[in-house]
C-alpha cells in the first residue's frame, strides 16, 4: 500500500494533527542510517510511494550524550523501544513518548506536525535513565490524577518511576533492579485499572535480581539470592504497587 524507504523498528499509529487521518510514529533502533531516531510519516496517495514523510528522523537522545552508557553497549550505539502515544501536556492533541538507552523522551505532537518547528524544538522533555543493556524497552501511561494529562510509568535498570506528563518531574519512584533483557523488552510496564470501582490503579512490573557483578544506582546489587535493593529470590519477580 505504501513504501516509506526509511528505517523503522517499532511503530505506533495516532492522529497527531486531529485531521481525521492517522500518522505513523516509528522508532528506528539500529537501522542502517537511523540508530536512535523517531520518524513520522502518513499515507498520501498523491505522492510517490504514497507516503509523506513528516519528520525524517529526530534523535530521541536529545541533548543527552550516548557516552552515558559504556562504549559498544546497546545504549551507546543505538536505542528506542515501542513508542507510547498519549496527551502528555493536556493540550488535547496526542504526543509521542519513547524510552531509549540513556533517556526517556516525550515529543510534542502538535510541534511534530508543524513544519516551521525545528526538530530539536519538538522535544517536550527528556529525563536521563539507564538501559544500556537493551535500549529497547517500552512504557505505560495513565492519568492517575484525572487532570487530562497522562503520567508516564517506566522502569529502567535501576528504578520504577512515575513521571508527570507535562514536565517530566518524578512524582514517585522505587528501586526495581532488572537487566532489561528479552523477557521484558517489548513492554516493561503494564497497568490494570478498576477506576470505576475503587479509583485504585495497580502497577505490575517485572523485576530480576542481577548476579555476578554489582551495579551502581539504587543501592548495591547483592550477588546472593534474596538480598540487594530489588525484590529478592530467583527468576522473575512481580512487584505490585497500588496508587490511590
Amino acid at each position: 500500500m505504501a513504501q516509506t524507504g526509511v528505517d523503522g523498528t517499532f511503530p505506533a499509529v495516532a492522529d497527531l494533527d486531529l485531521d481525521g487521518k492517522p500518522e505513523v510514529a516509528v522508532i528506528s533502533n539500529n537501522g542502517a542510517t537511523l540508530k536512535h531516531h523517531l520518524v513520522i510519516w502518513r499515507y498520501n496517495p498523491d505522492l510517490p510511494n504514497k507516503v509523506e514523510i513528516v519528520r525524517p528522523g529526530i534523535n530521541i537522545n536529545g541533548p543527552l550524550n550516548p557516552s552515558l552508557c559504556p562504549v559498544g553497549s546497546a545504549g551507546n550505539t543505538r536505542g528506542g523501544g515501542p513508542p507510547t502515544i498519549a496527551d502528555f501536556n493536556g493540550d488535547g492533541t496526542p504526543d509521542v513518548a519513547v524510552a531509549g538507552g540513556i533517556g526517556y523522551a516525550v515529543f510534542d505532537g502538535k510541534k511534530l506536525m508543524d513544519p516551521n518547528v525545528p526538530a530539536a524544538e519538538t522535544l517536550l522533555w527528556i529525563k536521563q535513565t539507564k538501559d544500556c543493556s537493551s535500549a529497547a524497552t517500552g512504557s505505560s501511561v495513565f492519568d492517575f490524577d484525572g487532570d487530562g494529562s497522562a503520567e508516564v510509568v517506566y522502569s529502567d535498570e535501576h528504578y520504577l518511576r512515575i513521571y508527570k506528563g507535562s514536565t517530566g518531574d518524578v512524582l514517585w519512584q522505587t528501586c526495581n533492579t532488572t537487566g532489561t533483557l528479552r523477557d521484558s523488552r517489548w513492554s516493561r510496564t503494564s497497568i490494570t485499572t478498576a477506576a470505576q470501582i475503587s479509583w485504585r490503579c495497580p502497577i505490575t512490573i517485572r523485576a530480576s535480581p542481577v548476579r555476578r557483578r554489582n551495579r551502581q544506582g539504587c543501592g548495591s546489587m547483592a550477588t546472593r539470592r534474596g538480598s540487594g535493593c530489588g525484590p529478592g529470590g530467583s527468576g522473575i519477580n512481580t512487584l505490585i504497587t497500588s496508587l490511590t
Side-chain angles (χ1 to χ4, degrees):
M1 184 174 181
Q3 178 63 47
T4 64
V6 298
D7 296 333
T9 310
F10 303 109
V13 178
D15 185 1
L16 297 179
D17 55 5
L18 304 180
D19 67 349
K21 300 177 182 179
E23 281 75 42
V24 181
V26 181
I27 298 301
S28 178
N29 182 328
N30 202 32
T33 58
L34 302 177
K35 301 299 183 181
H36 38 76
H37 291 76
L38 166 65
V39 176
I40 306 291
W41 65 271
R42 57 188 170 191
Y43 176 75
N44 188 330
D46 299 324
L47 293 179
N49 298 321
K50 300 181 180 181
V51 167
E52 177 184 356
I53 304 296
V54 179
R55 294 286 178 175
I58 300 175
N59 184 358
I60 66 169
N61 290 337
L64 300 179
N65 195 313
S67 64
L68 290 167
C69 282
V71 174
S73 67
N76 177 257
T77 59
R78 54 189 183 271
T84 301
I85 308 292
D87 182 1
F88 292 99
N89 56 8
D91 67 352
T93 59
D95 306 302
V96 182
V98 60
I102 56 176
Y104 190 94
V106 175
F107 294 88
D108 188 307
K110 186 176 294 184
K111 292 182 178 179
L112 285 171
M113 298 304 297
D114 187 345
N116 297 314
V117 178
E121 295 180 15
T122 63
L123 188 64
L124 183 62
W125 55 263
I126 187 169
K127 295 296 179 179
Q128 182 178 336
T129 56
K130 184 178 178 65
D131 181 18
C132 301
S133 58
S134 76
T137 51
S139 63
S140 289
V141 295
F142 189 83
D143 185 2
F144 288 101
D145 53 12
D147 65 351
S149 174
E151 282 74 51
V152 176
V153 183
Y154 176 64
S155 181
D156 64 4
E157 293 177 1
H158 292 154
Y159 290 98
L160 169 65
R161 296 183 176 98
I162 298 179
Y163 296 100
K164 185 174 179 61
S166 57
T167 63
D169 294 341
V170 177
L171 301 177
W172 178 85
Q173 73 175 26
T174 187
C175 183
N176 184 66
T177 50
T178 172
T180 65
L181 300 175
R182 189 181 186 90
D183 61 280
S184 56
R185 172 174 294 183
W186 308 119
S187 182
R188 294 289 313 287
T189 308
S190 62
I191 300 177
T192 303
T193 175
Q196 310 96 312
I197 301 174
S198 64
W199 291 100
R200 294 175 64 85
C201 307
I203 301 173
T204 304
I205 182 72
R206 291 173 181 240
S208 54
V210 180
R211 299 183 178 85
R212 297 192 183 93
R213 58 173 178 167
N214 290 336
R215 289 177 179 262
Q216 295 179 345
C218 56
S220 298
M221 279 301 299
T223 56
R224 292 200 171 190
R225 182 175 65 185
S227 55
C229 67
S234 60
I236 299 298
N237 298 277
T238 302
L239 170 67
I240 299 179
T241 302
S242 293
L243 301 181
T244 304

